[in-house]
Amino acid sequence: MKIATYNIENLFDLSRSGYEYEEYVPNTKAQWNLKNYRIKLKNIAKVIKDIDADIIALQEIESLVALKDLRLTLKQQGLYYQYYKIADNKNTTIKVAILSKIPFIYTKEISVTKSYKYRNILEAKFKIKNQDLFLLVNHWKSKAGPESMRIISAKTIKKRVQELGKNKNIILLGDFNSHYEENKIFVRKRKHNDTDGITGINDILATKKYKDRVENISLKNYAFYNLWYDTEVKDRFSYIFRGKKETLDNILISQELINSSGIQYISHSIESYKAPYLFKGKNIYRWQVRRKRPHIHKGKGYSDHLAVIAKFAVN
């Protein structure tokens, strides 16, 4: 079973909701129009089709309409996801979603706060070979905000995990806007470090204690293992910012998915999807919008993130 997460960079539909970013208001000088929308859908669908995950979590989708259009484009390319859901209870500008070949037992949205600064988390439960599997799809506050904002999202997840209980198959995935060792890299960044060095991903979700390869890991209580530790350091990236490789996108797994006789993570299967066409020189070939004003869509490119993939055995 292949599970992936992919930030597809601002997939907006062509209806005006009043919440769009300036350059995504449809049919203006920015040229976010039917032509460019179709190119964006086609390009993102190509990546998702090439990955061919059984379940893929998505970030930065504006609406259910955009999700359905992406799903239709995928079907036209030969990949059909029968099951889909978007976290659209709150009118945030962009949202998280899931496409799945496997039926849901249920889906629900988890509200972080009522503030529109925080995107809802999407929870989905699956039943696979009589085993329960819980996925929580995240898109935390960007680095435009301090770490205290990401900690609020992390605490919301921790509370939900405690409600689900111990010894459950739980995968936390998505764009956490956090390095897998955020606690190390942001200490000197005063703009982000407003928490005396405490981080959401490492401290609240307790990933910093567990850094050995998965064969040697033994988690306790409600700690999670970050799968980035299960691959070579040089391959640990899903984003490139000013020439520096980063891991904003993460897949975290619970104890049960390591040592289980049911659903089990396949050792060393974590990877970011690095197809050559997703790069332009040393950079990720993101969706191209002119930097200078007025911002104009160029009708080429994919996303500024790479998808992250992990495989699981179902015994």
Side-chain angles (χ1 to χ4, degrees):
M1 179 175 61
K2 186 186 293 185
I3 294 177
T5 180
Y6 190 22
N7 181 323
I8 60 177
E9 192 183 14
N10 297 329
L11 181 60
F12 284 79
D13 62 30
L14 293 178
S15 298
R16 293 197 181 205
S17 67
Y19 297 97
E20 295 93 354
Y21 299 136
E22 178 185 353
E23 64 270 27
Y24 285 94
V25 177
N27 302 312
T28 64
K29 292 181 180 180
Q31 295 183 29
W32 183 244
N33 50 32
L34 182 60
K35 177 183 177 181
N36 283 328
Y37 181 52
R38 284 177 172 171
I39 294 171
K40 173 76 171 183
L41 287 168
K42 181 181 177 181
N43 289 5
I44 294 299
K46 173 179 172 53
V47 181
I48 295 174
K49 182 177 183 295
D50 289 349
I51 293 168
D52 193 20
D54 296 287
I55 304 169
I56 185 164
L58 303 171
Q59 300 86 48
E60 296 199 13
I61 299 184
E62 182 193 19
S63 66
L64 179 60
V65 169
L67 180 63
K68 285 183 174 180
D69 287 345
L70 176 60
R71 180 172 170 263
L72 177 59
T73 306
L74 281 161
K75 187 176 180 180
Q76 291 169 343
Q77 293 188 12
L79 179 58
Y80 180 53
Y81 284 106
Q82 184 174 354
Y83 308 99
Y84 58 96
K85 182 66 178 178
I86 186 168
D88 59 357
N89 286 347
K90 184 192 289 186
N91 286 324
T92 50
T93 303
I94 47 179
K95 304 165 182 72
V96 301
I98 293 180
L99 293 173
S100 178
K101 299 176 185 177
I102 303 168
F104 307 122
I105 299 299
Y106 69 73
T107 61
K108 62 178 288 185
E109 292 186 41
I110 302 171
S111 176
V112 179
T113 72
K114 293 182 179 180
S115 171
Y116 287 89
K117 295 179 181 179
Y118 299 88
R119 291 172 278 266
N120 283 357
I121 297 163
L122 180 58
E123 176 184 323
K125 180 181 178 181
F126 301 87
K127 180 78 74 172
I128 301 169
K129 294 288 181 70
N130 208 34
Q131 296 282 318
D132 291 339
L133 176 66
F134 299 89
L135 262 68
L136 276 70
V137 184
N138 297 263
H139 188 189
W140 292 3
K141 178 64 180 177
S142 75
K143 293 294 181 71
E147 186 62 19
S148 57
M149 298 185 75
R150 286 175 285 283
I151 280 181
I152 289 173
S153 293
K155 286 182 175 179
T156 302
I157 291 173
K158 184 177 180 179
K159 179 182 177 183
R160 178 56 185 155
V161 168
Q162 289 173 338
E163 290 172 351
L164 290 172
K166 298 179 182 179
N167 304 321
K168 296 290 173 46
N169 297 313
I170 302 173
I171 301 176
L172 312 179
L173 74 174
D175 182 356
F176 292 78
N177 276 303
S178 301
H179 190 270
Y180 68 96
E181 289 185 338
E182 185 71 20
N183 59 310
K184 291 185 177 180
I185 69 168
F186 95 134
V187 171
R188 293 186 297 272
K189 297 181 180 179
R190 295 181 181 179
K191 176 183 176 182
H192 297 148
N193 187 358
D194 63 340
T195 57
D196 294 326
I198 302 299
T199 68
I201 193 167
N202 301 122
D203 296 278
I204 306 304
L205 299 181
T207 60
K208 73 177 182 181
K209 299 177 184 177
Y210 307 101
K211 302 176 183 178
D212 296 329
R213 285 196 176 275
V214 71
E215 297 97 327
N216 304 316
I217 209 72
S218 179
L219 304 186
K220 296 180 181 179
N221 298 325
Y222 296 102
F224 282 84
Y225 179 61
N226 193 324
L227 293 184
W228 282 123
Y229 286 115
D230 198 46
T231 191
E232 299 299 325
V233 173
K234 65 180 178 62
D235 294 323
R236 297 176 188 173
F237 73 97
S238 61
Y239 188 79
I240 300 175
F241 181 67
R242 295 177 180 174
K244 185 177 180 181
K245 295 177 179 178
E246 299 185 1
T247 59
L248 301 184
D249 310 276
N250 295 264
I251 301 179
L252 316 178
I253 63 174
S254 63
Q255 166 87 33
E256 283 297 299
L257 290 166
I258 298 173
N259 301 317
S260 174
S261 59
I263 303 171
Q264 184 179 40
Y265 167 68
I266 297 175
S267 184
H268 309 295
S269 67
I270 178 74
E271 64 173 334
S272 52
Y273 185 65
K274 305 181 185 72
Y277 66 82
L278 292 174
F279 292 87
K280 192 172 185 181
K282 294 182 178 181
N283 295 311
I284 296 171
Y285 192 13
R286 68 181 300 174
W287 181 251
Q288 299 293 294
V289 181
R290 194 174 80 167
R291 292 184 179 182
K292 295 181 179 180
R293 289 184 179 274
H295 300 308
I296 297 175
H297 294 269
K298 299 180 181 180
K300 54 187 178 180
Y302 298 86
S303 169
D304 54 347
H305 291 243
L306 300 176
V308 181
I309 307 161
K311 296 178 183 178
F312 297 80
V314 182
N315 300 316

